[in-house]
Amino acid sequence: MLKEKLIEESIRCLREEGLRFSLDSLAKRLKVSKKTIYQYFPSKEALAYALYEKYYADMGQVVQKHLEQNDADLPTLLLRCYYDAACMVRGEIFNKYCLNSAVGEFALRRHAALWEKVAPQLCGSMTAAEAKTCRLIVDGAFDRAITQHADSDEVIAVLRRLL
């Protein structure tokens, strides 16, 4: 039970605190010691793997739910999910926490798998080459929006019109 709380709160902390997130802040939020965290996760990398595994499993379920409901504004909902996920795999996160490259590669593979799930709805009739370019444009727009603290809804609305 505490292990799951540690993972869920880590996701929340990373979202809310961004680069300010630390094991100290996690421990404080859950009112446990850092030593307790290390009893469940022997390293930052172990916690990061668990965090990304849970995050992408949950996001995959959210995307699947949207796909099944086939909402009228499905592309916008999928872009919002993909944007949220893009916030979780910024390079500076891995650099700041000195996580090994395997953690970053793991998270990026999960991120790529999420794209594969949303791409058919976003890139429908595009050729494979066009769909690849579409991802490049979406990833670039999201990366820039995140680093410039742009309004994500506005960026998504413009991308939606372009797609």
Side-chain angles (χ1 to χ4, degrees), residues 112-159:
L114 183 65
W115 173 260
E116 293 303 318
K117 200 166 188 169
V118 302
Q121 295 296 322
L122 300 177
C123 307
S125 62
M126 294 181 190
T127 66
E130 289 169 336
K132 186 175 180 180
T133 301
C134 179
R135 180 176 182 197
L136 187 71
I137 291 166
V138 170
D139 283 346
F142 285 173
D143 183 56
R144 191 72 172 175
I146 293 164
T147 59
Q148 298 295 314
H149 306 287
D151 180 350
S152 61
D153 288 334
E154 191 173 312
V155 172
I156 289 168
V158 170
L159 281 171

Side-chain angles (χ1 to χ4, degrees), residues 89-106:
V89 292
R90 298 182 324 243
E92 62 265 17
I93 288 173
F94 303 109
N95 293 336
K96 194 257 185 197
Y97 299 115
C98 302
L99 298 171
N100 66 39
S101 61
V103 173
E105 290 167 10
F106 173 78

Side-chain angles (χ1 to χ4, degrees), residues 6 49 74 81 128 145 151:
L6 288 166
Y49 275 115
L74 181 61
C81 289
D151 180 350

Side-chain angles (χ1 to χ4, degrees), residues 17 19 75 88 98 109 120 126 128-129 141 146:
E17 298 175 19
L19 297 178
M88 298 292 286
C98 302
R109 279 193 308 275
M126 294 181 190
I146 293 164

